Amino acid sequence: MDKAPMLNEKKKEEESADPVKANAQEGASSNSFYRIAFDAFAFIQVLAKRKWLILTIALVFGLLGAFCSFQIPKVYTSELSLAPEASNSGLSSNISSLASMVGVDMKFGDGEDAIYPEIYPDVVSSNKFIVSLFGVKVTTKDNSLTTTYYDYLSKHQKAAFWNQWKEKLLSKLNTEDPTGGGARQTNKVDTFRLTKKEADIANGISGNITCSVDKKTSVITIQVKDQDPVVAKTMTDSVKVRLQNFIKEYRTRKARNNVAYVRQLYDEAKRRYDEARRKYASYADAHQETVLQTYQSQQEDLENEMQLQYNIYTQCVQQLQLSLAKLQEKTPVFTEIVQATVPIKHSNTPKIVIVFAFMLFATIGTVLYLAITNRKRIFKLVEVTA
């Protein structure tokens, strides 16, 4: 018997009995495809059905946010602004001023100054600068405490409970001092090898200090945050003074070396002149009645030597005065645009914002959870025919 017709008829019967397979083959022949559709109405129904769950979770997280906001210590920010004197002059200064008006920073023609205002923030955040603030005397607002800034930060700071737990956990994990030095035997701090506690305090100070420079106007803005408003103001002034001293020391280093060298020449010239004058006076007093030409010639030689040393001495005096004037000219002048004041209001994030953020995150998380658990109802597979 011929089995081919019998197999074809059996195949047709199976296809008619399985409509899904038949539709799939028909869809494949018509180039149809499927896409995921979002059913907004079903999504709204799910949210409406579980609205009390959403509100309850949002309320619980709002209370948690309120609790956390009251645990955060208040922080006060003191700020000042300085306008340093421009170090360049002449044509390059005029061109740089015109370029700064359009936001272009041109510093050619000023080869003497290698430290530009743009790197002052790096100077303030340097380890040496931060360590220099350890010994600053600070007094709290209620005058109940007067101590060094290092002692104030290490022993008299408030912290949220989660930070206290973190510090306790880290102290248990790090039982040994990583520097290997333990407690210091002297009060002098080695900036090249800080202990763990000193490094933590230095990092805290660096995080509390903000120094920024306006590229167009070169105005320096210094901000210091602290839990006590008076301490914040005191440290702002201290940072300002130390930054000014650093800038003055750098820009006048060459002039100060020149003054020291000229002063050394001046002291030597004055010593020689005094010695020559003393020899001449002693010889002249001892030979007042002498008329011999030999004695008169020696007296003239001593007088000429005294006059020569006097000329050298007067030249050194002039050079010393010129070098001192040059030093004064090189010393930069700072104009304090905004003075540091004791802040009245704290600079923390408002508590209502923290509460709203907690409630918002809780609502978003709950909505995502409901969308995932009801994904079969919200997201549907829709057939699209090309």
Side-chain angles (χ1 to χ4, degrees), residues 8 16 21-22 32 44 57 59 63 65 76 78 103 120 153 163 196 228 254 261 272 283 286 322 340 344 358-359 385:
N8 291 335
S16 61
K21 188 175 180 181
S32 63
I44 294 174
I57 294 178
L59 180 60
L63 295 176
Y76 299 87
S78 182
Y120 291 163
L153 292 179
N163 288 331
K196 183 182 182 303
D228 189 276
K254 185 176 180 180
Y261 174 70
R272 291 181 179 179
Y283 188 85
L322 290 175
I344 300 176
F358 269 72
M359 295 180 68
T385 303

Side-chain angles (χ1 to χ4, degrees), residues 117-135:
E118 285 75 9
I119 67 171
Y120 291 163
D122 297 330
V123 174
V124 173
S125 62
S126 64
N127 206 34
K128 183 178 180 180
F129 190 95
I130 295 298
V131 170
S132 68
L133 299 174
F134 282 2

Side-chain angles (χ1 to χ4, degrees), residues 237-254:
D237 290 332
S238 299
V239 173
K240 176 198 69 174
V241 172
R242 280 165 172 73
L243 181 60
Q244 288 177 337
N245 292 338
F246 172 82
I247 298 172
K248 290 179 181 179
E249 181 181 358
Y250 170 75
R251 291 189 175 178
T252 61
R253 183 176 304 168
K254 185 176 180 180

Side-chain angles (χ1 to χ4, degrees), residues 232-356:
K233 191 267 182 184
T234 302
M235 294 311 302
T236 303
D237 290 332
S238 299
V239 173
K240 176 198 69 174
V241 172
R242 280 165 172 73
L243 181 60
Q244 288 177 337
N245 292 338
F246 172 82
I247 298 172
K248 290 179 181 179
E249 181 181 358
Y250 170 75
R251 291 189 175 178
T252 61
R253 183 176 304 168
K254 185 176 180 180
R256 286 186 289 106
N257 292 338
N258 189 34
V259 168
Y261 174 70
V262 174
R263 191 181 295 277
Q264 183 180 357
L265 295 179
Y266 164 80
D267 293 338
E268 182 67 18
K270 189 175 186 304
R271 185 188 63 80
R272 291 181 179 179
Y273 169 66
D274 291 339
E275 183 179 356
R277 184 178 59 178
R278 185 170 53 254
K279 287 183 179 180
Y280 172 75
S282 299
Y283 188 85
D285 292 340
H287 301 84
Q288 290 183 358
E289 304 297 334
T290 303
V291 295
L292 295 177
Q293 190 65 31
T294 303
Y295 292 106
Q296 292 181 357
S297 298
Q298 189 173 359
Q299 183 176 352
E300 290 178 357
D301 292 340
L302 291 175
E303 183 179 2
N304 292 335
E305 179 67 19
M306 181 186 66
Q307 186 64 37
L308 176 62
Q309 296 300 330
Y310 175 75
N311 294 336
I312 296 175
Y313 169 70
T314 55
Q315 291 179 3
C316 289
V317 171
Q318 294 176 359
Q319 290 295 327
L320 180 60
Q321 296 299 324
L322 290 175
S323 61
L324 290 174
K326 189 69 174 179
L327 175 61
Q328 182 64 29
E329 179 184 355
K330 288 290 185 181
T331 303
V333 178
F334 298 87
T335 302
E336 194 166 351
I337 302 175
V338 178
Q339 295 182 348
T341 58
V342 178
I344 300 176
K345 296 182 178 180
H346 64 82
S347 57
N348 295 59
T349 303
K351 293 180 175 59
I352 187 65
V353 175
I354 298 177
V355 172
F356 178 76

Side-chain angles (χ1 to χ4, degrees), residues 98-219:
L98 293 174
S100 65
M101 296 176 64
V102 296
V104 180
D105 189 14
M106 302 179 65
K107 297 187 179 299
F108 56 84
D110 188 19
E112 296 183 0
D113 194 3
I115 297 184
Y116 301 128
E118 285 75 9
I119 67 171
Y120 291 163
D122 297 330
V123 174
V124 173
S125 62
S126 64
N127 206 34
K128 183 178 180 180
F129 190 95
I130 295 298
V131 170
S132 68
L133 299 174
F134 282 2
V136 177
K137 294 292 183 179
V138 295
T139 302
T140 56
K141 183 180 179 180
D142 55 3
N143 294 324
S144 61
L145 178 66
T146 300
T147 182
T148 61
Y149 192 46
Y150 177 86
D151 182 75
Y152 168 76
L153 292 179
S154 61
K155 300 179 181 179
H156 306 280
Q157 289 289 286
K158 298 178 182 179
F161 67 90
W162 54 84
N163 288 331
Q164 296 176 0
W165 292 348
K166 182 182 70 174
E167 291 178 0
K168 291 181 180 178
L169 179 61
L170 292 177
S171 63
K172 291 180 180 179
L173 295 177
N174 301 324
T175 56
E176 297 182 357
D177 190 347
T179 61
R184 293 193 181 278
Q185 302 298 327
T186 62
N187 294 328
K188 188 176 180 181
V189 179
D190 185 3
T191 57
F192 298 101
R193 190 180 182 184
L194 299 177
T195 63
K196 183 182 182 303
K197 184 177 181 181
E198 291 170 348
D200 293 339
I201 297 296
N203 292 332
I205 295 176
S206 180
N208 292 336
I209 299 175
T210 302
C211 179
S212 59
V213 179
D214 192 319
K215 294 184 179 180
K216 295 183 180 180
T217 61
S218 295
V219 173

